[in-house]
Structures are given as structure tokens and as C-alpha cells.
Amino acid sequence: MGRQTLKADPQDELAARLRLLQELSGHGVRALARETGLSSSSLSRYLSGQSVPPWPAVIELCRLVKRDPRPLRPLWERAANPLPAPPKASRQVQPPSPPAGAPRPPRNDLPRDVPDFTGRQAQLDAVLAAVAGSRVVAVDGMAGVGKTCLAVHAAHRLAADYPDAQLYLDLHGFTDGREPLDPDPALRTLLAALDVPSEKIPQEGGIEPLAACWRSELAARRAVVVLDNAASADQVRMLLPGAGESVALITSRNRLLGLEEVPPVSLDVLTPDESAQLLARASGDPSGPDGRLGRDPEAAAEVLRLCGHLPLALRLAGARLRHRPGWTVGILVERMAEGASEFDTAFAMSVRQLDRAQRRLFRLLGLLSGSSFDEYVAAALAGVPLRGARAMLEDLLDAHLVQQPSPGRYTLHDLVHQHARRAAEEQDTPAEREQALGRVLDYYVHAAAAADAAMPYESGSRAASAGSPPAELPAFGSKHAALGWFVAEYTNLMGAFEVAVATGADAHACELPRFMRTFFARRCGTTHLNVLFERSLAAAQRLGDPWQLAEAHSDLGFARYNAGRMAEAGAAYEAAAPLVSEVGDPRSEADLMMRRGHLSWDEGHVEAPLDLFRQAGRRYADAGCPTGAAHAAADEAWAMLQLGRPEEAARLARDVLGHTGGEPGWPATLSARITLGMAIVHDQPDEAARHLRQALELAREDGHKHNEAWCLNCLGVALRQMGRHEEALDSHRQAFALLDELFEEHWKVHFLYGYGETCRLAGLPEEALRLHRQALELAPKVGARHKEVLAHEGIAAVLDATDPAAAAEHRAASQALRRELIPEPAR
């Protein structure tokens, strides 16, 4: 696995790991310190190994590059609490903070509590009273009236009493150009915020399992959750806590009458006195007659009127005064006098301070539909270099027209977004808007292709062909960086797909899901993948390109197969076959052969899959695709093993490992190690166990839960064949626990026979019988005929001692199926 086996100094090893995080971030020390909130001098000591950082500093560094800090915890503890050793004159270890073993800091996603919170005492008291009595409260009112500000302020007040988590989620009920966030992705986001492992989150079964999982997690915590911008009672109902002590604060522009049990708190505009206080605080103006507002009370009153006594408009107006010390209040009134509404007057006033390029970028940002974006998207949208986009975003931040919820991510407030979108519709031509969105689609397709290339797939990744590649793309130094990008951009990628479909960008709609297959295999269930490929096929049909249509049919078959829909997978592959032959692309031919080989094997055929794998290997070689050729050879070796030819399987698996060098980045390495381990288990049990455990470690490091379950099941079978029944049972149980967490029942059909046989030989006949009967019920549903044969044989073996007649019936059924699947040769 290439891991360090020498006993390095933990402090030096920790520093080396932190330097890798710095490398992933792409920042120098000063920029990295600024992004993480650390001092440059402290960060330099941590990176050089001169001192041990406090654990929260490690968390911040990991969070910046979207890496899980938990694997670093044992190393940090050893570095922070070294064994007694001779003192080193050049090192001065800082006392760690928090001490070793301290609990992980709770998640706090709450936005900043504004320092100029003004008025609202009665409403704040009502919110706190409602929470105390009902644990849920709904704050409603018109746009810009301060609902979010009040809810966040109350949540900060409640944080000490709810220390386990303070969460915030924008439901986008009123985001212009974007559909409200559905309960399904909302629940997944909230569960992720609680650090619930993705494998524990239900992938199928509808909204009820997700909501139950969320309520269960909340029940064990004291958490406060802010659910901002709800569109309706239906949108938020499934997100509310159940049993336990956690509380939720909801905001909405509508009164949520459907939540009859939830007490409402309605907000109106501020009073004139409160408005004047807020404007003074926001502008930094000293109170009294000596300040600018006091010297011109009539103009100040006009500002309040133009702002409609709305907190958001007042803060924007005050910010302009604060940043323009040479302005009088009268000048502010003149700048605000033109505008379509109270909001637009405030926003337009800020926009007019920008130069032409900044104003254009601001308008175009209104076309985006995602919840947040990064500088690469802004650069693509405006068609400018990355450096220029970064500088303009900083200017927009200073003008309070763009917000930065986290380092590297930007967002627009709903009202600002609406203003920008209206401005784009008024000032930019339809062609200019279409070209801007086209550049964003180009960016996402090519960025997804680059990220996919960093996450090795069985046959390797193709380059994107849709649109024009942007001048600059994110650097994906590892598959972990690529996976982090997919996680951060998932909502935007889905939004880009919807835009592509809506605008007729069919080439983009064909390619984007294709570059997300590897990500879906690691993080998502199969249901969504099937829907995406169905729509991708429709786009390919509209496009009329034979290659795109061939790939779309093949991809849909791949999605159907992974969902256990074997007959539909076969139909999709049949539709793809003549198109692939017509196109004459050896890489596409090889991909389809591999997929048809897997399907044919699961359907119970023997020779056909072997022939398909061998043909695929030759096509991959013709296409100059060594990754695909190695994977085809690895699958051929696995098929030989299942056919009872272990010597040939072992030889071919060793050849694969020789060609890949055992490189963990090659997916074929995992298949080859499993096959080799299973093939030599009788003759070389120790080496077999070593190969199988290395395969398991590869699957875990890759984050591929299906492969992890496969490795665990094979390890269980091997351990059973070594006579180590208890260890074998433990391995099988771990595999099935993973499958239960994945909520994809059809995958169990591949592992039930091995588990059942281990139970039978370990003296657990009733458990063995249950598992074989489960396989017998499941196999016909998913078209896995070979597994049906094995289920009959497994039941017969269990019943031989107690019910010979029933055993004979199952054995006869097995033999009949075998004759059907493998006809006898003609005589």
C-alpha cells in the first residue's frame, strides 16, 4: 500500500501531513493563514514541525481542502503527548489545545450575529417563549423585514443551552430562478452537517426513511436548527425534530398555516425610531445633532422612507454612507431616488458605485441558479481570466452585494439575486445571457471531466467534447480533491444539467451525467443515476449524433444493471450494440462488451461472458487504453475462478498485478487481488489472506462501499475455507451491515450464498437456511439466474440432514436450471 513503516517522529509526521494539506489548498502560508483564521507565524511553526497545532487548527486546515480530519486524530494525539525522550534543543512543543481525548467541537453553521441588531425585543421574547414551550417556532414576514436576522440572533442566544450542534439551512423558498429545496436534499444536507456517515443515510425508499434517520439523530442531541426561507409547510414538515430536546426556528415569507402545532411570530417593518437607530448604526454615524444624519434630519427621514423601514435596505443604505465619508445624506437621497422599488433603490445605489466590468459580472451572477458558486464559475460566466474574476468578487464583497459564507464560496442574498437577475434581463441582450450560461455549462462539463479523470474508473476517463474548454480549471491533485469538488458542486451540477435540458444544450446534457458515474458509485444511490441517464438518452435522441446515442443507451444500461433491473439493462445494451458497431470506436465497443459480460454472467451464462471479457481486452488494447485492458483481464480472471479454474485465474490475476504494478489507483488492482486471494486460499492461505486484506484496504481508502462489501464477503468465504469460522462470520456480518446502510437490497444477491454456506459449516443451519431462501426469493426478481441455482443447492445442503425429500426437490430444481442455462452439447 505504500504506507510508511518506519517509526517516524509523530510531530514530524504530522507536519508532513499538514504540508500535504497546504499543497492541496494551493495557498502560500499567508493566504492559508488568512483562509483558516490562523496567524502566519503559528502556521509556519506547525508546517515546519516546530510546534504541535491545537486540534481545532488541524480541523480548519482539513475543512479548507474538504478532507476528513478524523484519520489524523491518532497521529495528532501521539504528537501532542510524546513519549519521554531526550530534550531537543531546536524544538519547543506548545501545549495542545484542546487536550488529547477532548470531544470534537460541535458543528456551528450559524451565520454571524449582526452587531447592529436593533429593536425587535417583543418579537425576540416571543420567539424564545415559543421555543421553550413548543421547541419549534415559525417567523414570517415580507421580504427584507429581518426574519433571518431575528432567527439567527435568537439561535445565538440559544446556543449555550443547545451545545451539541447549531445548524443553518437555506431552503431557497423564494430564490429567483431556482426551485425550492426539496425535503430529500434538505435532509441529506442536514444529516451531513451532523457528520452522519453517508453510508448510514438511506438512498432509497422515499422521504420517510430519510426523515426518520434525521429525527433519530436529533433525538440524541441538544441542537438548534435554523430552517431559513421556507416556501410552504410541506417543504419543512419533514425537517422538524421529533422526540428529544432539539429545537427548530423556521423563517418564511408566507404564514405556514399548515403547521398548526407550530406557533407563529410575525414581523412587520421597523418603527421610525428603530429604523433611525439601525441606519445610524449601519452608517457608523455618531448619534445626536453632530452626525451627518443629525445635521440633515429631513434627508435622513427621506432615506428611511425610501428604504421602507426595511432592515435590509437600511443596512445597504447605511453601508454606502459608511464607505463614502465625503457624502452628505442629501447625496445619498439623490442616488436612491431612482429605482423601481424600495429594494431596487438600495441595490441600484450600491451597483452604481461599481465600474463597468464589475456591474456586468454582478448582473450575470443573477443568472446562476445554484446556492453558491466559486471564482471559476464567475470567471466562466463573465468570460474573464480567473484573476480578474477573483478581484471583482472581492469588490462585490466590499459593496455587500456578494456574501462569502465560507472560504472560496460566494452567494447572493435572495433580494440581491432578484435585483441582479432583473438588471440582466433589462440591460443584457438575450444572446449575451445565453452566451454567459453557455460558458457556465462548458465550465461544468469540462471541470467534471477533469475531476472524473482524477477518480480512476474501470476503463479510464474520456475528455469532454461538449462546448469549449475554459481557460482555467481547478487542479485536482488527488481523487480525494476531486471527490470534495463533486460534493461541494453537486447541487450546481444538477442545476447545470437542468439548464442544459431547458436550453436545448443536448451535448452537455449527454456528457455531464457520464462524468459523474464514478462519483455516484461512491456517494449516491442508483435511483437518481437512472433518472439522469433516462433524460440524457432523450437529449442524445434529440441531438441525433450516433456516438452520443450509442453511449447514452450503454450508460442507461449501466444504470439499470446497477439498480438490479437486469431485463431493462439488457434491452438498453441491445439498443446500443448496432450503434456502437456503426460508430466503430474500439473504446466504446470495449465498454459495452464489459457491461454485457457482467450482465450475461449474472444471468447465469458461462462461456459468453468469458468471450466478451477477452474481446473487450483486445478492443481496449487497440484503443490504447491500458486501464481498460487490465480491468478486462481482471474480470476474465474472476470469471475463471467462478468456473472452478483457480490455477488459470491465479496466473491471469498475477499478470494483471504485474502490468499495473499493484498500483492502488488502477481499479483492476482490487479485482485482481480478490481473485488471486480466492484462487490460492487452499495452497497458500497466508498469502491469500494478505491479498484479500489489501483489497479491502483499497476499497475502504477509495470510499466505495459496494466494493468494500464485496471484499468483506470474499474474505469471509476464504476464512471459512481456512476453517476460521468465527472470523469468517464476522467478515460476512460486516459486509451485510454495509449493504443495509446502502439501502440497495438487490446487491445482497451476490453475497447471500457465501454467507449462507459459512453459516451452515459453522453450525448455524437455521441462519443458513434463512439466507439461502432470501437468495432464492431475490434472485428471480433481479434476473440473477446463476444465484438462483446456488440458492437451491444451498437449501438442499442444509436440508439433507433433516428433510431429505425437500433437499432432493431443491437439488432437482438446481439441475433443471443448470441445464437451461448451460445446454448439453449436441450429440
Side-chain angles (χ1 to χ4, degrees):
M1 295 300 297
R3 292 187 175 177
Q4 180 64 267
T5 57
L6 298 176
K7 294 184 178 179
D9 185 324
Q11 191 166 328
D12 292 335
E13 188 177 350
L14 178 62
R17 298 289 290 276
L18 296 182
R19 289 195 294 273
L20 286 176
L21 295 178
Q22 180 194 9
E23 182 179 342
L24 281 175
S25 75
H27 292 312
V29 173
R30 289 187 178 179
L32 187 62
R34 183 171 60 253
E35 295 290 335
T36 56
L38 303 172
S39 72
S40 298
S41 58
S42 296
L43 184 57
S44 296
R45 291 197 302 272
Y46 305 154
L47 295 173
S48 65
Q50 292 177 323
S51 63
V52 178
W55 180 240
V58 178
I59 291 175
E60 285 304 315
L61 288 166
C62 291
R63 188 172 293 166
L64 178 64
V65 295
K66 298 180 174 62
R67 296 290 293 271
D68 186 353
R70 286 174 290 187
L72 288 177
R73 181 73 189 202
L75 177 59
W76 175 83
E77 290 180 351
R78 294 199 303 274
N81 299 276
L83 295 173
K88 297 182 180 181
S90 61
R91 176 170 295 152
Q92 192 172 22
V93 179
Q94 301 292 327
S97 176
R104 186 176 181 182
R107 179 70 173 253
N108 189 332
D109 288 338
L110 296 179
R112 184 176 66 101
D113 191 8
V114 294
D116 57 8
F117 187 83
T118 302
R120 304 296 196 200
Q121 188 58 52
Q123 293 85 355
L124 178 60
D125 292 342
V127 167
L128 297 176
V131 167
S134 301
R135 296 195 298 114
V136 182
V137 64
V139 181
D140 59 67
M142 67 177 294
V145 79
K147 303 179 295 294
T148 300
C149 187
L150 175 64
V152 169
H153 184 71
H156 279 281
R157 290 275 298 268
L158 292 165
D161 294 326
Y162 297 87
D164 295 331
Q166 298 87 41
L167 307 183
Y168 172 89
L169 179 64
D170 190 345
L171 298 174
H172 294 288
F174 304 92
T175 301
D176 194 15
R178 172 175 175 166
E179 291 296 314
L181 189 64
D182 285 333
D184 184 289
L187 285 165
R188 295 184 189 281
T189 301
L190 290 167
L191 287 165
L194 288 180
D195 287 331
V196 178
S198 60
E199 59 269 19
K200 287 185 60 179
I201 300 174
Q203 299 292 345
E204 293 187 342
I207 194 65
E208 291 292 346
L210 272 176
C213 182
W214 165 242
R215 291 192 298 269
S216 175
E217 293 293 334
L218 275 189
R221 295 172 168 87
R222 289 180 59 85
V224 57
V225 184
V226 177
L227 302 171
D228 201 15
N229 291 323
S232 65
D234 289 339
Q235 185 189 18
V236 79
R237 184 175 286 109
M238 289 294 186
L239 314 184
L240 301 182
E245 301 182 43
S246 294
V247 301
L249 291 78
I250 311 164
T251 75
S252 178
R253 295 185 192 178
N254 297 327
R255 292 178 179 173
L256 303 179
L257 301 178
L259 299 179
E260 298 176 357
E261 74 284 6
V262 176
V265 174
S266 297
L267 296 188
D268 201 348
V269 297
L270 295 173
T271 67
D273 286 345
E274 290 171 339
S275 298
Q277 292 175 30
L278 179 55
L279 179 62
R281 292 174 178 175
S283 65
D285 193 68
S287 59
D290 295 333
R292 281 182 289 179
L293 296 172
R295 290 196 297 269
D296 195 349
E298 292 183 1
E302 181 64 8
V303 172
L304 300 183
R305 188 193 69 78
L306 290 171
C307 290
H309 300 288
L310 291 165
L312 179 60
L314 289 165
R315 285 196 172 91
L316 287 169
R320 301 318 305 164
L321 277 180
R322 185 173 69 251
H323 291 287
R324 297 292 184 273
W327 278 16
T328 65
V329 184
I331 293 176
L332 176 63
V333 171
E334 291 174 3
R335 299 297 178 91
M336 294 177 63
E338 299 177 6
S341 68
E342 293 99 349
F343 297 121
D344 282 330
T345 55
F347 299 149
M349 175 273 301
S350 293
V351 173
R352 278 196 290 269
Q353 308 307 312
L354 305 174
D355 63 29
R356 182 177 180 179
Q358 293 165 349
R359 290 197 301 271
R360 175 175 175 269
L361 173 60
F362 172 72
R363 294 195 307 271
L364 294 178
L365 289 174
L367 303 178
L368 297 177
S369 60
S371 57
S372 67
F373 57 92
D374 64 11
E375 56 196 23
Y376 289 94
V377 174
L381 185 70
V384 300
L386 184 65
R387 183 175 180 180
R390 186 183 300 126
M392 285 191 284
L393 286 172
E394 291 296 322
D395 291 331
L396 294 176
L397 276 171
D398 292 340
H400 299 282
L401 291 168
V402 169
Q403 298 168 316
Q404 192 174 37
S406 62
R409 305 297 300 181
Y410 301 89
T411 188
L412 273 67
H413 186 280
D414 285 355
L415 299 175
V416 179
H417 186 271
Q418 291 172 11
H419 177 81
R421 192 179 189 89
R422 283 195 295 268
E425 291 170 352
E426 293 170 359
Q427 301 176 42
D428 299 303
T429 67
E432 289 171 332
R433 299 196 298 271
E434 182 179 344
Q435 290 168 4
L437 286 176
R439 289 190 296 269
V440 172
L441 291 180
D442 288 351
Y443 165 76
Y444 272 121
V445 167
H446 286 270
D452 186 51
M455 298 169 61
Y457 191 62
E458 282 82 351
S459 61
S461 181
R462 290 181 183 265
S465 60
S468 302
E472 296 174 90
L473 289 171
F476 301 111
S478 68
K479 64 184 175 186
H480 300 291
L483 181 61
W485 182 84
F486 273 119
V487 171
E489 293 287 353
Y490 176 75
T491 302
N492 292 336
L493 288 163
M494 293 299 96
F497 179 79
E498 295 295 338
V499 169
V501 172
T503 60
D506 289 327
H508 298 77
C510 286
E511 293 198 349
L512 195 55
R514 193 170 300 147
F515 294 128
M516 296 185 70
R517 288 178 310 194
T518 311
F519 166 69
F520 268 88
R522 285 160 174 78
R523 284 293 183 270
C524 303
T526 57
T527 303
H528 197 180
L529 188 62
N530 272 268
V531 173
L532 284 176
F533 279 133
E534 287 168 7
R535 301 176 70 189
S536 181
L537 174 60
Q541 290 168 336
R542 291 191 298 270
L543 199 62
D545 179 89
W547 181 80
Q548 290 283 20
L549 192 57
E551 289 291 293
H553 277 295
S554 181
D555 285 340
L556 181 59
F558 168 83
R560 297 290 198 241
Y561 172 80
N562 279 280
R565 298 158 65 175
M566 302 300 184
E568 294 173 81
Y573 292 154
E574 287 298 323
L579 292 165
V580 169
S581 296
E582 176 188 341
V583 171
D585 176 27
R587 168 77 175 275
S588 297
E589 291 176 341
D591 286 344
L592 183 59
M593 287 173 180
M594 290 288 287
R595 291 171 174 180
R596 296 184 77 175
H598 295 148
L599 176 63
S600 179
W601 180 266
D602 283 351
E603 288 175 337
H605 303 292
V606 178
E607 295 300 331
L610 266 178
D611 184 56
L612 285 167
F613 294 148
R614 288 165 178 162
Q615 289 186 59
R618 291 192 290 270
R619 293 292 196 285
Y620 281 131
D622 293 341
C625 182
T627 306
H631 192 75
D635 280 3
E636 181 186 348
W638 174 256
M640 286 182 174
L641 177 66
Q642 307 311 303
L643 292 172
R645 296 155 65 180
E647 294 83 4
E648 295 174 77
R651 176 188 55 77
L652 190 52
R654 292 187 192 277
D655 287 345
V656 171
L657 292 176
H659 281 100
T660 66
E663 169 59 44
W666 286 58
T669 299
L670 182 139
S671 298
R673 287 205 183 280
I674 292 176
T675 300
L676 182 56
M678 299 294 291
I680 65 175
V681 66
H682 293 295
D683 299 327
Q684 303 172 65
D686 291 340
E687 184 182 351
R690 179 175 62 83
H691 282 294
L692 289 168
R693 294 192 187 280
Q694 285 178 334
L696 177 59
E697 194 171 350
L698 284 175
R700 284 174 171 165
E701 193 273 338
D702 195 36
H704 199 309
K705 297 301 178 183
H706 299 89
N707 281 345
E708 184 179 349
W710 180 33
C711 292
L712 283 165
N713 185 72
C714 290
L715 180 60
V717 172
L719 289 169
R720 176 235 297 163
Q721 293 175 350
M722 298 176 196
R724 295 155 63 176
H725 291 157
E726 288 304 316
E727 295 176 73
L729 288 171
D730 181 64
S731 191
H732 285 301
R733 287 164 184 157
Q734 290 183 57
F736 274 72
L738 278 176
L739 294 176
D740 286 337
E741 292 169 358
L742 288 169
F743 289 88
E744 292 187 332
E745 195 73 11
H746 59 276
W747 278 96
K748 291 183 180 179
V749 76
H750 300 292
F751 310 132
L752 282 165
Y753 178 77
Y755 190 5
E757 283 299 279
T758 299
C759 288
R760 180 177 70 86
L761 295 172
L764 302 171
E766 292 183 0
E767 181 67 6
L769 193 60
R770 182 188 69 80
L771 291 168
H772 289 313
R773 283 175 172 163
Q774 184 180 351
L776 187 60
E777 180 182 357
L778 184 58
K781 293 179 180 178
V782 298
R785 305 299 303 280
H786 180 61
K787 304 301 180 185
E788 191 175 350
V789 170
L790 293 177
H792 278 298
E793 292 178 353
I795 294 172
V798 175
L799 293 178
D800 274 335
T802 59
D803 193 344
E809 290 179 6
H810 281 283
R811 200 162 273 117
S814 168
Q815 292 170 354
L817 274 172
R818 283 191 181 277
R819 284 194 297 272
E820 177 185 339
L821 296 171
I822 313 173
E824 292 185 9
R827 297 185 184 278

